[in-house]
């Protein structure tokens, strides 16, 4: 359960607020957290504060964070009761931040040393952009490059990119994200009903409010390992949150084309839900999801083809 009064360790002197507030949520992954923190401390741009929201870790995370706060006044641990939600951790950290810009980093990922410097430089050169994301590549648990994954990623683009986000035509990873705090607040912050897709949901809303600055340089290393938080979340939960995300994006869409694309994506998620329900023997729920998918995108041939295939599977399963 989320703490109503989270403990925050911080230096209380009256100082000029930092330019950037870096937000790291964490839970019981001290070895990886150390590397993530080191990648922040190695930044060539030094005017930052680092707020680490610890979700009630039961390992040695708390003593480590308390020592860090004594070593570096820019580091501010936030100790929470265990909620099991990245969204809650990030929201609580942002609530106590002081910077003009918010930068997200996960506790198992790493930044290149020039990440903040390059991103802020690009944003300064493009004041029409209230948020930014960068290129990235994958590493394994030991920090070695994952062969072939980088070539599959789409290059970041700039401008009004809501359509590209809806269709996944850009690879926008949350740990590359930087945004003005004022834009974050204008967009409504994180949706706390979402646990694993709240970051992408936020980006869809940012993209409607402001142009994005896409930095093509790879400035983040995304770690693939067995303990990833999103991997522990049930598949049906991912799909349900995707559907909710696209339904919200549809309601906020700036034009008819993006509304249609959101409806198609929402319908596709409903077909995925139908398949999951069918596999678990929930046939009434599967057929209902198929009907909802068709209702949401009645003119999309791909949705009809998918619906007919799923109906055929349901008939076969029940025969």
């Amino acid at each position: 359960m989320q703490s109503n009064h989270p403990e925050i360790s911080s230096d209380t002197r009256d100082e000029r607020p930092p330019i950037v507030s870096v937000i790291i949520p964490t839970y019981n992954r001290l070895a990886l957290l150390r590397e993530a923190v080191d990648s922040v401390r190695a930044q060539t741009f030094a005017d930052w504060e680092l707020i680490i929201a610890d979700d009630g870790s039961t390992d040695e995370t708390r003593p480590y964070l308390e020592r860090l706060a004594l070593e570096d006044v820019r580091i501010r641990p936030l100790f929470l009761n265990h909620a099991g939600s990245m969204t809650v951790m990030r929201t609580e950290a942002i609530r106590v931040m002081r910077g003009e810009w918010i930068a997200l980093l996960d506790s198992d990922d790493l930044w290149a040393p020039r990440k903040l410097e390059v991103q802020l430089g690009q944003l300064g050169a493009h004041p029409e952009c209230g948020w930014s994301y960068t290129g990235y590549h994958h590493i394994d648990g030991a920090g070695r490059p994952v062969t072939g994954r980088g070539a599959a990623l789409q290059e970041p683009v700039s401008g009004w990119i809501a359509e590209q986000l809806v269709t996944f035509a850009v690879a926008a990873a949350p740990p590359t994200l930087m945004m003005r705090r004022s834009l974050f607040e204008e967009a409504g912050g994180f949706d706390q009903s979402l646990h694993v897709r709240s970051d992408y949901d936020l980006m869809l809303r940012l993209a409607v409010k402001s142009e994005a600055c896409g930095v093509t340089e790879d400035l983040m290393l995304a770690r693939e390992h067995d303990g990833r938080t999103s991997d522990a979340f049930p598949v049906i939960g991912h799909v349900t949150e995707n559907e909710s995300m696209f339904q919200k994006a549809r309601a906020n869409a700036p034009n008819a084309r993006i509304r249609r694309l959101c409806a198609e994506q929402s319908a596709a998620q409903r077909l995925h839900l139908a398949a999951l329900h069918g596999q678990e023997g929930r046939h009434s729920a599967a057929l209902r999801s198929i009907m909802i998918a068709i209702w949401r995108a009645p003119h999309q041939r791909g949705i009809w083809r998918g619906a007919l295939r799923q109906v055929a599977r349901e008939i076969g399963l029940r025969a």
Side-chain angles (χ1 to χ4, degrees), residues 17 21 45 65 83 101 113 143 171 208 213 219 221 261 273 286 289 313:
S21 293
F45 179 86
L65 294 179
W101 294 92
V208 172
C213 182
L219 297 174
L221 287 72
L261 291 170
L273 273 178
S289 286
R313 290 192 194 100

Side-chain angles (χ1 to χ4, degrees), residues 98-112:
R98 299 179 299 135
E100 176 186 359
W101 294 92
I102 302 169
L104 302 182
L105 177 61
D106 292 342
S107 58
D108 52 353
D109 295 328
L110 304 171
W111 281 347

Side-chain angles (χ1 to χ4, degrees), residues 170-188:
V170 294
T176 74
L177 186 63
M178 182 182 286
M179 59 200 138
R180 285 192 184 275
R181 181 174 187 170
S182 58
L183 177 64
F184 172 83
E185 293 170 347
E186 183 185 350

Side-chain angles (χ1 to χ4, degrees), residues 185-200:
E185 293 170 347
E186 183 185 350
F190 290 113
D191 181 345
Q192 296 200 51
S193 71
L194 303 176
H195 297 289
V196 293
R197 297 302 274 165
S198 61
D199 40 30
Y200 208 87

Side-chain angles (χ1 to χ4, degrees), residues 35 46 58 66 99 118-119 124 126 133 192 244 263 278-279 304-305 316:
E35 294 186 40
T58 56
E66 289 173 338
V118 171
Q119 209 163 11
H126 299 281
Y133 66 109
Q192 296 200 51
S244 174
Q279 290 166 13
W304 275 99
R305 286 194 295 267

Side-chain angles (χ1 to χ4, degrees), residues 219-288:
L219 297 174
M220 189 273 287
L221 287 72
R223 194 188 300 269
E224 296 186 351
H225 63 105
D226 292 338
R228 293 176 63 192
T229 303
S230 58
D231 291 346
F233 201 65
V235 174
I236 196 166
H238 279 276
V239 178
T240 300
E241 291 200 359
N242 279 339
E243 181 196 10
S244 174
M245 176 179 76
F246 286 122
Q247 281 292 92
K248 285 176 57 184
R250 181 185 183 185
N252 295 324
N255 58 56
R257 175 175 171 77
I258 294 179
R259 276 195 298 276
R260 176 178 60 79
L261 291 170
C262 289
E264 291 172 3
Q265 290 283 27
S266 175
Q269 298 303 315
R270 265 289 162 176
L271 287 182
H272 194 173
L273 273 178
L276 294 172
H277 286 315
Q279 290 166 13
E280 296 297 323
R282 297 184 292 269
H283 302 298
S284 295
L287 291 172
R288 181 174 179 273

Side-chain angles (χ1 to χ4, degrees), residues 84-124:
S85 169
M86 293 270 285
T87 308
V88 168
M89 287 184 270
R90 285 170 171 163
T91 298
E92 289 299 316
I94 289 171
R95 203 184 308 278
V96 299
M97 63 167 276
R98 299 179 299 135
E100 176 186 359
W101 294 92
I102 302 169
L104 302 182
L105 177 61
D106 292 342
S107 58
D108 52 353
D109 295 328
L110 304 171
W111 281 347
R114 295 177 61 247
K115 194 265 187 187
L116 293 180
E117 177 189 351
V118 171
Q119 209 163 11
L120 283 168
Q122 290 290 318
L123 285 163

